[in-house]
């Protein structure tokens, strides 16, 4: 929609928070694998959501380390800095500049209906949850709309936030004239919610999962395999896909299908007549291979932090070429006057 689009390829945009030492299987299969694929035929903008991570008040030294680890993991996963702008959110001040405008267009009640805020603030305790955590989806709307993306590859848990972004785009356009595209969530069935291994009705989460509920991409392969083998399963012993009555075994079946890039039906057929243990051992092997090679690739990127910084700087420069004119246009449209 913005006339400054320099390429005819559609755009893809997404972000991930540096809220842990490692990303997990849910982040990879729910989001990052799609980021990598979309690079082939999209102009891609991918960022480390360091400002979002501040909403939960990390220790400064911890946050710094996690930002570098995030960059290394995204590269290890296949984000290609030659084809995608890979950057830190905080290096592109336009994100917070646009967020303020959207803060002023969002209703208090509307923001209060975000289920992720309700969950996370309930966990933190009402007095401890920050205002930043409350307004996070509004900053996220700015993150997205700045780049005029066609597709936003995310997990199912982000669907409501995406809807807010779409509403804000529409509201802004209505008040100030056609400016923003309403982006489509790009959520793949089957990988949209990778479940917690110990609590298979909840999603795997960096900040909420217990250590045994989550397989980190940087886990030691043996430890990762053990977590899979000790995943909670359901009563009975028949291997059958039924998320309602058999959430544990269904989660494992769907993870197996995801890794093997096949259908759940094919996996069920493969294990027909076998016991839970057989599926677990086979899946544990697949996961151990995956994290083993992922860890090696990540460590090689972490060996050269100066190169990581150079990649992030180049990505930020590319992002600012797009984001700068958008903020100028928006500030103009809402009636701010240009400074000297
Ligand atoms: P946090 O607990 O700090 O919010 P997170 O694990 O939810 O961390 P985010 O950085 O918030 O990870 O999200 C990054 C991306 O990963 C988003 O697109 C999100 O939808 C996706 N994602 C997160 N968890 C899962 C999951 N269990 N299954 C599928 N996708 C997921
Ligand atoms: Mg999250």
């Amino acid at each position: 929609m913005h006339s400054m689009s320099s390429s005819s390829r559609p755009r893809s945009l997404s972000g991930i928070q540096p809220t842990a030492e490692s990303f997990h299987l849910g982040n990879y299969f729910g989001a990052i694998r799609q980021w990598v694929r979309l690079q082939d035929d999209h102009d891609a903008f991918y960022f480390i959501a360091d400002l979002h991570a501040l909403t939960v008040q990390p220790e400064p030294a911890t946050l710094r380390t996690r930002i570098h680890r995030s960059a290394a993991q995204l590269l290890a996963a296949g984000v290609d800095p030659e084809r995608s702008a890979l950057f830190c959110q905080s290096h592109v001040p336009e994100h917070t500049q646009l967020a303020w405008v959207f803060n002023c267009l969002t209703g208090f009640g509307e923001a209060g209906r975000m289920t992720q805020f309700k969950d996370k603030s309930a966990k933190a305790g009402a007095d401890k949850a920050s205002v930043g955590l409350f307004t996070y989806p509004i900053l996220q709307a700015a993150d997205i709309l700045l780049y005029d993306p066609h597709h936003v590859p995310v997990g199912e848990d982000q669907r409501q936030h995406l809807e807010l972004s779409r509403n804000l785009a529409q509201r802004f356009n209505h008040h100030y004239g056609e400016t923003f595209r309403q982006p489509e969530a790009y959520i793949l069935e089957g990988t949209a919610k990778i479940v917690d291994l110990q609590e298979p009705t909840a999603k795997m989460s960096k900040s909420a999962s217990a250590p045994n509920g989550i397989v980190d991409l940087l886990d030691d392969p043996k430890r990762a395999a053990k977590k899979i083998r000790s995943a909670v399963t359901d009563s009975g012993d028949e291997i059958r896909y039924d998320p309602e009555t058999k959430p544990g075994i269904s989660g494992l079946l769907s993870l197996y299908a995801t890794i093997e890039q096949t259908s759940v039906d094919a996996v069920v057929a493969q294990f027909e007549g076998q016991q839970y243990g057989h599926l677990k051992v086979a899946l544990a092997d697949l996961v151990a291979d995956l994290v083993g090679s992922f860890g090696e690739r990540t460590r090689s990127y972490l060996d050269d932090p100066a190169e990581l910084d150079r990649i992030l700087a180049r990505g930020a420069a590319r992002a600012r070429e797009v984001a700068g004119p958008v903020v100028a246009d928006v500030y103009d449209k809402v009636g701010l006057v240009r400074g000297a």
Side-chain angles (χ1 to χ4, degrees):
M1 204 161 286
H2 281 286
S3 53
M4 60 281 288
S5 291
S6 58
S7 149
S8 56
R9 299 197 325 161
R11 289 216 181 117
S12 162
L13 170 288
S14 200
I16 187 161
Q17 303 189 80
T19 36
E21 300 306 298
S22 172
F23 298 149
H24 54 73
L25 293 179
N27 298 135
Y28 181 66
F29 290 117
I32 301 169
R33 190 162 74 172
Q34 281 68 261
W35 298 17
V36 171
R37 289 182 177 159
L38 287 168
Q39 294 177 125
D40 291 343
D41 48 11
H42 286 65
D43 255 349
F45 294 82
Y46 298 132
F47 66 95
I48 298 164
D50 51 359
L51 296 174
H52 285 292
L54 283 181
T55 57
V56 291
Q57 293 125 13
E59 286 297 328
T62 305
L63 178 59
R64 246 173 243 128
T65 312
R66 289 176 174 178
I67 291 169
H68 272 126
R69 289 173 77 100
S70 298
Q73 289 177 82
L74 290 174
L75 294 166
V79 171
D80 173 5
E82 298 301 323
R83 292 187 291 161
S84 299
L86 176 63
F87 60 98
C88 284
Q89 186 186 27
S90 66
H91 296 175
V92 183
E94 286 81 1
H95 288 238
T96 42
Q97 291 175 327
L98 182 61
W100 182 254
V101 175
F102 288 156
N103 267 305
C104 299
L105 283 177
T106 309
F108 201 84
E110 187 179 25
R113 284 193 290 277
M114 297 294 124
T115 55
Q116 209 164 93
F117 172 74
K118 289 190 214 169
D119 291 349
K120 287 192 174 180
S121 61
K123 223 160 236 160
D127 297 341
K128 293 219 179 77
S130 66
V131 174
L133 192 63
F134 185 64
T135 58
Y136 160 128
I138 303 169
L139 175 57
Q140 188 175 330
D143 298 334
I144 295 170
L145 297 181
L146 270 177
Y147 299 94
D148 206 20
H150 299 67
H151 293 122
V152 184
V154 288
E156 179 64 41
D157 62 307
Q158 292 298 327
R159 193 182 287 282
Q160 192 189 31
H161 292 166
L162 243 296
E163 203 49 43
L164 178 69
S165 296
R166 292 169 58 83
N167 290 340
L168 284 170
Q170 194 182 32
R171 196 170 306 157
F172 187 96
N173 292 350
H174 177 75
H175 283 295
Y176 302 109
E178 209 53 30
T179 307
F180 294 111
R181 176 199 312 282
Q182 285 186 269
E184 298 285 341
Y186 184 88
I187 299 176
L188 293 191
E189 210 189 323
T191 62
K193 179 181 168 187
I194 304 292
V195 298
D196 184 295
L197 297 172
Q198 294 298 320
E199 225 180 297
T201 51
K203 84 170 191 86
M204 214 178 254
S205 150
K206 285 192 234 99
S207 55
S209 289
N212 281 338
I214 184 175
V215 173
D216 281 334
L217 295 175
L218 297 179
D219 266 344
D220 168 68
K222 287 206 186 79
R223 185 169 141 89
K226 187 155 178 241
K227 288 182 189 176
I228 298 286
R229 288 197 306 269
S230 50
V232 163
T233 36
D234 322 288
S235 55
D237 56 9
E238 191 197 354
I239 296 185
R240 184 161 53 82
Y241 185 76
D242 182 354
E244 290 290 312
T245 61
K246 287 177 163 272
I249 210 71
S250 300
L252 297 181
L253 285 166
S254 115
L255 184 56
Y256 194 103
T258 297
I259 297 179
E260 288 291 79
Q261 310 205 42
T262 181
S263 69
V264 167
D265 284 348
V267 181
V268 171
Q270 184 183 333
F271 285 94
E272 201 193 321
Q274 302 195 46
Q275 318 238 297
Y276 289 171
H278 293 112
L279 172 64
K280 284 184 171 179
V281 167
L283 181 59
D285 285 347
L286 291 180
V287 168
D289 283 351
L290 183 108
V291 303
S293 63
F294 187 86
E296 272 172 37
R297 286 196 302 280
T298 303
R299 280 187 290 280
S300 75
Y301 284 110
L302 281 171
D303 282 344
D304 192 353
E307 174 63 8
L308 290 178
D309 287 335
R310 278 192 293 275
I311 289 172
L312 293 173
R314 254 192 290 139
R318 165 84 185 106
R320 293 200 75 183
E321 281 171 18
V322 173
V326 175
V327 166
D329 179 43
V330 165
Y331 276 20
D332 200 44
K333 282 180 171 148
V334 300
L336 299 172
V337 299
R338 296 266 167 113

